[in-house]
Amino acid sequence: MTQPDGHADLAHPARGRGWRLAVALAMAACCAAAGWGAYAVALQRYVATRAEEAGQRTTFYAQNLRSTLARYESLPRLAALEHVLHVALLEGSQAGDATMRRAANAYLKEVQAATDLAAAHLINTTGLTIAASNWDLPTSFVGQNYAFRPYFAEAMREGLGRFYGVGNTTGETGYFVAAPVREGTKPIGVVVVKVNLDAFEASLSRSGDTVLLVDRHGVIFLSSVPEWKYRTLGTLSPEQQTALDATRQYAPHTLTPLDTQAGGVPFSADRPPQAVRVALPGKSVSTLRVQYRPVGLLGWQVVVLIDPRDEQRTALVAGASAAFAMALVFSVFVALRLRTRRREEQRRARAALREVQRDLEARIAQRTAELTSANTALASKVEALDATQRILRETRDAAVQAGKLAVLGQMAAGITHELNQPLTALTTLSDNANQLAERGRIDEVRGNLTLISQLANRMGRIVSHIKAFSRKGDAARAAVSVDEAIRQALMLVETRRRQVGVTVTAPPVSADLAVWANAVRLEQVLVNLIRNAIDAMAETSQPESAAVHVSVEPIENWVRITVRDFGPGIPADVLPRLFEPFFTTKDDGQGLGLGLAISLAIIEDFGGRLVGQHADDGAGGAEFVIELERVVKPHA
Ligand code: ADP
């Protein structure tokens, strides 16, 4: 990838992150807006629905109460027709007739029991109760004056009186309906029935709604919440308070406003409060909405309170659901986008991979081509090396041959001497033999001939050996007897040895001891080393005083042949150049400097080692050590 691309890649993630954050924030804002919108709409709808439902239920409670009250409406009128009551009232006005009153009591009790009333009683024109269904109870109304009760006055005046209030005698609340007992058209008393609305109140408590029944002053006289009974919606004006005191409607209860925060606004049936701040039992203070339905002829209203928190809660659920749904939609959208992007990335990655693969293949092909050409070059180099090695081998063989010839050349004088000696002897012996033959001394002639034959043999051996040594033989490895090689070498250096006057000791070696070498070449090496040793001894003042030692020592699978002299040794400056071709310290013509170089090549060719060093035993001189692989014969 190029540098600018790399920069673009680096810049991208930061920009992408900012963009993603903005999108995430926008999505969150959308979710919040959707949630809020749904909440608002749902709240509006729930409020409307709830108001409608509450309205229906309010109507239902009102009708229920209306029908309950209607049932008792005509009861006092009917009772008022009863003759016994007439008599009691008329009799009662004349200081009372106990019998009549008892009859009235019995009748009223009967009415009370038959129609499930709280009580029924008969009041005379002064408001005094002269008979009652509860005449025999401690809470008997008989003797009580109820002239202060509005129902009495209304019944006397208008023909029917209605009132709801706390029983003055019993302390029990009830709905009083009163009808006049007439004599002709003239009212002579009033029959009152007291209806107990406890059952209705209990049904309100069970309804699950917060239902109240308020009078025209806003006083709650029936309630599904027991604690709210005798509280007021709004406050009571002084006039209202006075009116209530006059009728002792709710005495002895103190009437306190339900909503203490309402601010002292008196209750008005025309404009009742639409909301009250109050704590429902077990709940915190909240503003409740209010629904009203008028009921009955006393200015009562059925009131249903609605807790808006329920709607808010439901609307909140709707809002949360909308926000969640929106979030879900976004999540699906984001997931789809991510999937698309991931696929796109995968596609791009695959394409990049293919590109890399192609690149790699191209590089492999290029590298293979390079390798092939390198291989070809190497093969040709190997070939060249082989050729060089072959040339080297040939050159070395030539050098070995040259070395041998050189040795022979150096030995030429000695060999000549070696051959001259027997030749002279032969001449003398043959001359001698002639003379002896002339004298007829045949036996001595024979003796001479035998000697001649021996000398000729010896010369033949020398010649044949020199011939063999100088022959350009093949260098194949074979088992070579160490003893044999040493003996042949000693013979070849014999002339030189004698010339210098040095002793060469070579203790006999087991004839079985053999090494992997080539006989002629090993002899050539030994000749070189022994000759060098003799030459070194020649440099000393008394060469005869010491000897050249040729020793043989088998070491495991190796055979070590050491040539040791007591010459001047090898100077430090010569040592590193010892095996260098054409390096010699010998006076002109005496040395070619090839002996050791060729010897090393031969020994290494056999897989052996050749080292030359200053002898380290303190006696001076040099020692050359050959190590060759031993021929291990299989045990029989
Ligand atoms: P050359 O004998 O023809 O000089 P060599 O290769 O055989 O060639 O020997 C190289 C040189 O090594 C000799 O000239 C001589 O200086 C040194 N050298 C060889 N053998 C001995 C020895 N035994 N003692 C001291 N010097 C030696």
Side-chain angles (χ1 to χ4, degrees):
M1 195 176 278
T2 60
Q3 190 64 14
D5 282 357
H7 277 308
D9 273 8
L10 285 177
H12 239 81
R15 226 170 44 204
R17 259 203 302 284
W19 171 244
R20 275 203 292 278
L21 189 68
V23 170
L25 285 177
M27 285 177 176
C30 281
C31 291
W36 176 251
Y39 171 75
V41 171
L43 188 61
Q44 205 178 19
R45 269 201 50 204
Y46 288 142
V47 165
T49 314
R50 187 94 188 280
E52 199 185 321
E53 286 171 6
Q56 285 168 358
R57 284 204 303 283
T58 315
T59 308
F60 167 75
Y61 297 131
Q63 281 172 350
N64 199 359
L65 180 61
R66 233 174 265 137
S67 65
T68 305
L69 298 181
R71 273 216 310 275
Y72 297 100
E73 196 77 343
S74 48
L75 194 61
R77 276 190 225 259
L78 289 172
L81 299 174
E82 176 56 45
H83 177 67
V84 173
L85 300 187
H86 282 249
V87 175
L89 282 170
L90 291 173
E91 291 300 314
S93 61
Q94 294 162 13
D97 182 316
T99 318
M100 279 302 119
R101 286 192 188 172
R102 266 201 302 277
N105 281 340
Y107 171 70
L108 288 173
K109 194 175 183 81
E110 214 170 306
V111 169
Q112 180 263 326
T115 54
D116 198 21
L117 293 170
H121 53 288
L122 182 67
I123 305 171
N124 68 14
T125 46
T126 63
L128 184 73
T129 307
I130 57 165
S133 59
N134 59 1
W135 60 274
D136 52 347
L137 298 176
T139 54
S140 168
F141 293 167
V142 179
Q144 298 287 333
N145 192 307
Y146 293 116
F148 63 92
R149 292 290 204 191
Y151 60 79
F152 170 70
E154 279 168 24
M156 289 293 283
R157 194 173 56 241
E158 291 161 26
L160 205 64
R162 300 177 190 84
F163 179 73
Y164 184 86
V166 180
N168 205 37
T169 317
T170 58
E172 288 170 7
T173 48
Y175 178 60
F176 300 87
V177 188
V181 180
R182 296 181 203 268
E183 193 61 35
T185 55
K186 187 178 165 245
I188 54 168
V190 171
V191 178
V192 185
V193 296
K194 185 181 178 185
V195 181
N196 191 335
L197 290 181
D198 286 355
F200 178 72
E201 193 174 28
S203 78
L204 292 187
S205 297
R206 285 194 304 272
S207 69
D209 276 321
T210 309
V211 197
L212 319 173
L213 203 60
V214 299
D215 67 7
R216 60 197 156 91
H217 304 303
V219 179
I220 301 163
F221 62 89
L222 286 182
S223 169
S224 64
V225 182
E227 304 89 304
W228 291 359
K229 224 163 157 180
Y230 309 119
R231 309 288 296 275
T232 59
L233 291 179
T235 50
L236 291 172
S237 64
E239 298 82 52
Q240 286 171 327
Q241 191 66 59
T242 313
L244 287 169
D245 288 346
T247 59
R248 288 197 260 162
Q249 193 171 352
Y250 300 113
H253 299 289
T254 328
L255 307 171
T256 54
L258 188 64
D259 184 348
T260 49
Q261 292 181 330
V265 182
F267 180 81
S268 148
D270 302 331
R271 287 207 320 198
Q274 295 302 306
V276 285
R277 265 190 73 73
V278 68
L280 280 165
K283 290 193 178 173
S284 58
V285 173
S286 69
T287 306
L288 308 182
R289 286 200 310 278
V290 193
Q291 290 253 0
Y292 298 91
R293 288 288 181 284
V295 60
L297 297 165
L298 293 174
W300 294 357
Q301 304 216 49
V302 171
V303 179
V304 170
L305 300 181
I306 307 157
D307 189 349
R309 277 177 301 192
D310 297 343
E311 294 139 33
Q312 282 165 355
R313 216 171 292 128
T314 320
L316 210 61
V317 170
S321 304
F324 181 72
M326 192 66 137
L328 197 70
V329 166
F330 281 137
S331 304
V332 169
F333 173 71
V334 168
L336 283 176
R337 254 190 76 83
L338 279 179
R339 201 173 67 163
T340 314
R341 194 177 306 163
R342 208 167 38 241
R343 283 195 180 159
E344 175 63 17
E345 275 169 9
Q346 277 172 351
R347 198 187 56 72
R348 250 183 280 151
R350 271 200 296 274
L353 198 67
R354 271 199 298 277
E355 184 64 28
V356 169
Q357 237 169 10
R358 265 201 296 277
D359 191 37
L360 201 66
E361 275 165 16
R363 270 204 259 170
I364 288 172
Q366 188 191 346
R367 193 54 59 83
T368 311
E370 281 171 13
L371 277 176
T372 312
S373 75
N375 220 359
T376 316
L378 196 67
S380 66
K381 272 187 195 155
V382 168
E383 234 169 73
L385 194 67
D386 281 349
T388 312
Q389 269 179 346
R390 201 171 53 249
I391 292 168
L392 188 67
R393 226 175 6 254
E394 285 166 8
T395 312
R396 204 177 50 202
D397 287 349
V400 167
Q401 186 59 21
K404 280 198 292 194
L405 295 180
V407 169
L408 284 175
Q410 282 164 347
M411 293 193 310
I415 293 164
T416 313
H417 173 76
E418 199 71 8
L419 291 175
N420 264 346
Q421 249 191 341
L423 205 58
T424 314
L426 276 179
T427 313
T428 314
L429 282 171
S430 59
D431 287 351
N432 236 357
N434 271 334
Q435 287 166 10
L436 288 171
E438 282 169 9
R439 286 176 206 153
R441 288 154 65 176
I442 297 303
D443 287 344
E444 285 174 58
V445 170
R446 270 202 202 101
N448 272 10
L449 284 174
T450 310
L451 282 174
I452 287 169
S453 168
Q454 282 172 351
L455 283 171
N457 263 345
R458 180 179 145 83
M459 286 173 77
R461 278 212 310 281
I462 291 170
V463 168
S464 80
H465 195 75
I466 289 167
K467 214 170 115 190
F469 184 73
S470 62
R471 197 184 308 125
K472 197 173 170 182
D474 96 79
R477 275 191 352 158
V480 175
S481 158
V482 179
D483 190 56
E484 184 73 21
I486 291 171
R487 301 294 142 216
Q488 292 299 347
L490 287 178
M491 198 188 81
L492 284 168
V493 296
E494 178 58 20
T495 316
R496 177 66 182 153
R497 183 196 70 75
R498 217 176 296 141
Q499 213 174 28
V500 177
V502 181
T503 319
V504 179
T505 64
V509 181
S510 158
D512 292 341
L513 191 66
V515 290
W516 288 111
N518 173 282
V520 175
R521 291 204 171 175
L522 181 57
E523 277 168 32
Q524 186 179 352
V525 173
L526 288 169
V527 165
N528 280 338
L529 298 184
I530 299 167
R531 258 185 63 90
N532 276 349
I534 294 168
D535 287 350
M537 299 284 280
E539 286 179 32
T540 58
S541 49
Q542 283 185 311
E544 317 79 31
S545 63
V548 171
H549 295 300
V550 181
S551 57
V552 176
E553 185 187 3
I555 302 166
E556 293 176 357
N557 286 343
W558 294 87
V559 175
R560 180 184 287 171
I561 306 167
T562 310
V563 179
R564 165 81 201 263
D565 65 61
F566 293 89
I570 300 165
D573 59 328
V574 173
L575 197 63
R577 305 187 62 189
L578 213 51
F579 295 96
E580 209 176 273
F582 302 108
F583 172 77
T584 178
T585 57
K586 292 176 187 168
D587 295 337
D588 33 37
Q590 291 294 308
L592 284 173
L594 279 175
L596 286 180
I598 289 169
S599 299
L600 183 65
I602 290 171
I603 295 299
E604 282 183 349
D605 215 24
F606 294 155
R609 284 186 292 270
L610 170 62
V611 286
Q613 62 211 9
H614 201 83
D616 56 3
D617 56 4
E623 76 177 1
F624 284 81
V625 179
I626 303 169
E627 279 177 356
L628 285 168
E629 212 181 321
R630 182 177 176 178
V631 178
V632 183
K633 290 208 180 107
H635 294 290

